[in-house]
Amino acid sequence: MDFVGKRGWFFLASLITVVASVISLILPGGLNAGLEFSGGSSITVAFEEDVSQSGLRSAMEELGHPDAMVQRLGEGNFFIRTRTLEEAEGDGLSEREIIISGLESALGSQVTRSELFSVSPSIAAETVRNAIVILVIASVAILLYITWAFRKVPSPLRYGISAIIALLHDVVVVVGIFSIVGRYLDLEVNAMFIAGVLTIIGYSVHDTIVVFDRLRENLIRGFGHDLGSTINISIEDTLGRSLNTSVTLLFTIIALLLFGGPTIFEFLLILFIGIIVGTYSSIWIASQVLLVWENKEFGSMARKLLPF
C-alpha cells in the first residue's frame, strides 16, 4: 500500500476530525468537569427499597438543591452530585445528614448506606493546574528523548517534533470525541479521565517510536531510493505488529466496558478511543508529517487541503 502517496487524504480526514473536536470543546457543555476539577460534593446512597430517579431528583429540589445531578448506579443505589456541603457546627446536623433525613421522609425508604466525597474549589483549581503541568512535562520529556534517541539520523529534532504533533493530534481528537459522546452519555472529566489521557500519550508515542525506529534502521541500511519510499517500507514492516497489538488491547477493553461497571467507564472509553486514534496517527500522521517537513511541502499541502 502506498501510504505516502495517500497522505493528503489522511491529513484531510484528520483535519475534519480535529475541527469537529475543537468545535465540540468550544461549545457550551463541551466537557462536564467532575468534582476533582470543579469542586463540590458527591453522595453515594443505597436505599432499602428501590426508588425512582425522577422522584429522587424532585426530592433534592425540595431540599434546596435544584442543580443536583442524580445518576442511577443500580437497584436502589444512586450517585448524587451537588455543591460543596457544609459540615456540622456544634450540635447541629451536617448538610449531608439533613439531605439523608429529608430523602428518607420524601421517598419513604430508608437509606442503608451513604458515602460523602467533597472537593473545595481551590483544590479543584490546583488539580487543573497540575494536570496541565503534567501534560507539558510529559511532552517536553518525550521531545528530548526522541531527539536524543535519533541523534544518528539527519535532523533528529524533526523526529521529536513530528511525534509531538501526532501526540497533540491524538489528545485533541480523543478529548473531542469524548466531548461529543459525553453530550449523550453524561460523562464526566475526572481523575480517571486524566489517567486515561496520560496512558494514551504513552501508547501513542510508543507506537510512533516503533515506526520511527524501523525508519531509522532502514535509512542507515539504505533501503528505499528516497525518504518517501523508506517510510513506506518502514510502515509495512511494522503494520502487522501495530494492528495485532491494538486489536488485542481493544478486545480486552471491550470486555471491560461490557462487564467492568460504571466506576471505570470513562477511563475505559478514553483507552478505547485513544488506542484507535493512536494507531492511526503512528501510521498515517507522524511519519507523514516528517516527510512533508523534510520535503518542505507544508505550503502546497495546505493549499490542497484548505478551500481558501
Side-chain angles (χ1 to χ4, degrees), residues 2 61 153 182 193 225 227 281 297 307:
D2 184 13
E61 292 179 2
V153 298
F193 172 88
H225 59 274
L227 180 60
S281 70
E297 298 176 357

Side-chain angles (χ1 to χ4, degrees), residues 41-64:
S41 297
S42 67
I43 308 175
T44 304
V45 293
F47 290 93
E48 190 174 41
E49 300 176 1
D50 193 21
V51 298
S52 67
Q53 185 172 345
S54 58
L56 180 56
R57 187 176 289 111
S58 299
M60 290 296 298
E61 292 179 2
E62 294 176 1
L63 291 170

Side-chain angles (χ1 to χ4, degrees), residues 3-297:
F3 299 96
V4 170
K6 296 178 174 59
R7 61 185 179 277
W9 292 105
F10 298 127
F11 285 155
L12 179 60
S14 291
L15 178 63
I16 293 173
T17 308
V18 168
V19 170
S21 299
V22 171
I23 291 174
S24 178
L25 291 170
I26 292 175
L27 292 176
L31 287 176
N32 184 20
L35 293 180
E36 296 92 335
F37 297 97
S38 63
S41 297
S42 67
I43 308 175
T44 304
V45 293
F47 290 93
E48 190 174 41
E49 300 176 1
D50 193 21
V51 298
S52 67
Q53 185 172 345
S54 58
L56 180 56
R57 187 176 289 111
S58 299
M60 290 296 298
E61 292 179 2
E62 294 176 1
L63 291 170
H65 299 275
D67 297 329
M69 184 196 76
V70 179
Q71 181 180 359
R72 179 184 288 273
L73 301 178
E75 185 175 353
N77 295 288
F78 292 89
F79 173 86
I80 304 172
R81 176 183 166 186
T82 183
R83 59 173 174 76
T84 304
L85 301 179
E86 302 294 334
E87 296 293 332
E89 295 184 3
D91 296 330
L93 296 176
S94 66
E95 283 197 272
R96 181 184 70 164
E97 293 172 327
I98 294 173
I99 289 175
I100 297 301
S101 177
L103 291 178
E104 289 178 337
S105 300
L107 300 174
S109 179
Q110 179 136 9
V111 173
T112 58
R113 178 177 58 86
S114 66
E115 299 175 357
L116 175 67
F117 174 71
S118 296
V119 177
S120 68
S122 60
I123 294 178
E126 183 179 355
T127 302
V128 173
R129 288 194 299 270
N130 291 341
I132 295 174
V133 169
I134 289 172
L135 292 176
V136 172
I137 292 175
S139 299
V140 173
I142 290 168
L143 175 62
L144 295 176
Y145 170 75
I146 294 178
T147 303
W148 175 84
F150 290 85
R151 63 192 181 278
K152 294 183 180 181
V153 298
S155 305
L157 183 62
R158 295 186 179 184
Y159 286 77
I161 295 177
S162 297
I164 295 300
I165 292 174
L167 171 62
L168 294 176
H169 163 275
D170 294 350
V171 171
V172 172
V173 172
V174 169
V175 175
I177 294 177
F178 185 90
S179 169
I180 296 171
V181 175
R183 294 177 182 274
Y184 301 97
L185 298 184
D186 196 22
L187 302 176
E188 282 192 349
V189 174
N190 49 28
M192 296 298 289
F193 172 88
I194 297 300
V197 171
L198 292 175
T199 303
I200 289 307
I201 287 175
Y203 179 86
S204 173
V205 172
H206 174 266
D207 223 20
T208 299
I209 289 177
V210 169
V211 178
F212 278 0
D213 193 51
R214 183 54 60 90
L215 174 60
R216 176 183 60 180
E217 294 176 356
N218 289 337
L219 285 172
I220 294 174
R221 295 172 182 173
F223 291 172
H225 59 274
D226 57 15
L227 180 60
S229 60
T230 307
I231 288 176
N232 259 339
I233 294 171
S234 302
I235 292 176
E236 289 176 358
D237 289 345
T238 57
L239 184 61
R241 175 259 173 210
S242 296
L243 293 180
N244 288 337
T245 302
S246 299
V247 170
T248 303
L249 284 171
L250 288 175
F251 283 149
T252 305
I253 292 172
I254 290 173
L256 289 172
L257 280 170
L258 294 175
F259 306 108
T263 307
I264 57 174
F265 181 80
E266 285 86 355
F267 176 72
L268 295 173
L269 182 61
I270 283 289
L271 290 185
F272 181 82
I273 300 171
I275 287 172
I276 296 174
V277 175
T279 304
Y280 165 84
S281 70
S282 67
I283 299 172
W284 286 293
I285 298 298
S287 55
Q288 314 300 336
V289 168
L290 177 65
L291 176 63
V292 170
W293 193 349
E294 290 286 348
N295 292 344
K296 299 180 175 59
E297 298 176 357

